[in-house]
Amino acid sequence: MDTAGSLKRRSRATVSAAYAAQGFGYAVVVTSLPGLKDRQGIDDTAIALIVLLVCVTAAAGSVLADLIATRAGSRAALVTGLALEVGGIAIVAADAPLWLFIAGFAVYGSGLGAVDAAGAMQGVLVQRAYGRDLMGGFFAAYTAAAIFGALAVAGAAAVGWGVSAALVVVIVVAAFVAGCGLVWFDRSRAGEERHVAARTPLPRRGIWLFGFVILAAFTLDSGVSTWSTVYLQDDLVAAAVIAPLGYAAYQVAILLTRLATDRIVGRWGAGPVVMGSTVISLAGLIVVAALPFVAAAVLGFALAGVAVGALVPLAFTSAGQLAPLRSDQIIARVNLFNYAGAVLGAVVIGLLADVPGLPLAFLIPAVLLLPVLLLARRFRAAAGRQDAVAATTAGASADR
């Protein structure tokens, strides 16, 4: 017979697996784009439009997760998102006509957004049950799996497997996690006391504040992911074997930060972690902009990853604490800023690549990070489920 403790541990492990499946799948998809481009006979412009399509449909998927979670809980929303990813990637992996290939990316994008949002909903529920921060660990699973996903695509190419080989692995992994999640994802609801939740207004100011933090973090993430290798190879004339090291150092810094975040927050609190990580990343971006040397750029990109590693899990944790009985809806709305940041980082920095140039363009994320320093005191560590619900219930009763 399962005890409450064993069920809690299984929920934590399965939610970690969902984050890992998401990171692995996304990394495989984006690193497979060159091979898919050649297979379908399309150009870079078409690939850029497909990436934009994924961002737009991901935003719709986040809204879908909100609707499903409100009616059936975030467990159902997360399983649905994983199922959409499986279906979309299956279409992309097949040698399908172009229109169906594009439709597959639209389906995948909707699943991507639903898993992003519902995964965060589940993460907040699990860490609420534990009464301590766990979100850094969930995102660490995502980052580690993303690194493995990129290596898997490289390995598949090295042994001569087709572009679809790694995508098939993604399908198997996501389907397996979805099946396990039907049983072991957290079954509780953020707003089980529906009469109380209905009287609790959405904290719109908090949604915008933490949404801005997510936007700043993903503008940085998208900018470094898209342009760091280009900058090292084209502007600094780094060898082809050296140019990817900036992005690799960035991802390693994110992973190490996320592995440490939960423990550091438990010791020092969320606010100091936000302040420290933001200052470190600002320094990194300034190094990239000011010092046109390969070693300086690699170091700068690594330092820039610290803020992304800490801010994303802490922003979702703090957003979930704004009104615990409505945390699913709040997280779905905050998650929408993710995709705005992704487009902003890739597009705006790219538009500035020629004038004034990529070094100064990397200061765009720095400008967005500056206000985060003023918001550090708004961040909160995870709270126990019963304490959070009791506080919200008491507040709602006082309002009546």
Side-chain angles (χ1 to χ4, degrees), residues 18 21-22 77-87 111 114-115 174-175 177-179 181 185:
Q22 181 79 330
L78 185 48
V79 171
T80 300
L82 289 166
L84 286 170
E85 288 188 345
V86 168
V115 173
V177 172
F185 285 150

Side-chain angles (χ1 to χ4, degrees), residues 161-182:
W161 291 352
V163 69
S164 298
L167 294 172
V168 172
V169 178
V170 172
I171 293 170
V172 173
V173 170
F176 177 76
V177 172
C180 293
L182 282 172

Side-chain angles (χ1 to χ4, degrees), residues 81-158:
L82 289 166
L84 286 170
E85 288 188 345
V86 168
I89 294 175
I91 295 172
V92 170
D95 192 4
L98 182 59
W99 69 269
L100 188 57
F101 175 77
I102 294 173
F105 270 105
V107 175
Y108 168 71
S110 64
L112 184 77
V115 173
D116 280 345
M121 295 173 192
Q122 280 281 301
V124 166
L125 289 177
V126 172
Q127 71 177 6
R128 194 179 293 169
Y130 274 80
R132 57 187 174 90
D133 280 84
L134 300 173
M135 198 67 84
F138 293 141
F139 277 98
Y142 176 102
T143 305
I147 294 170
F148 183 74
L151 293 175
V153 173

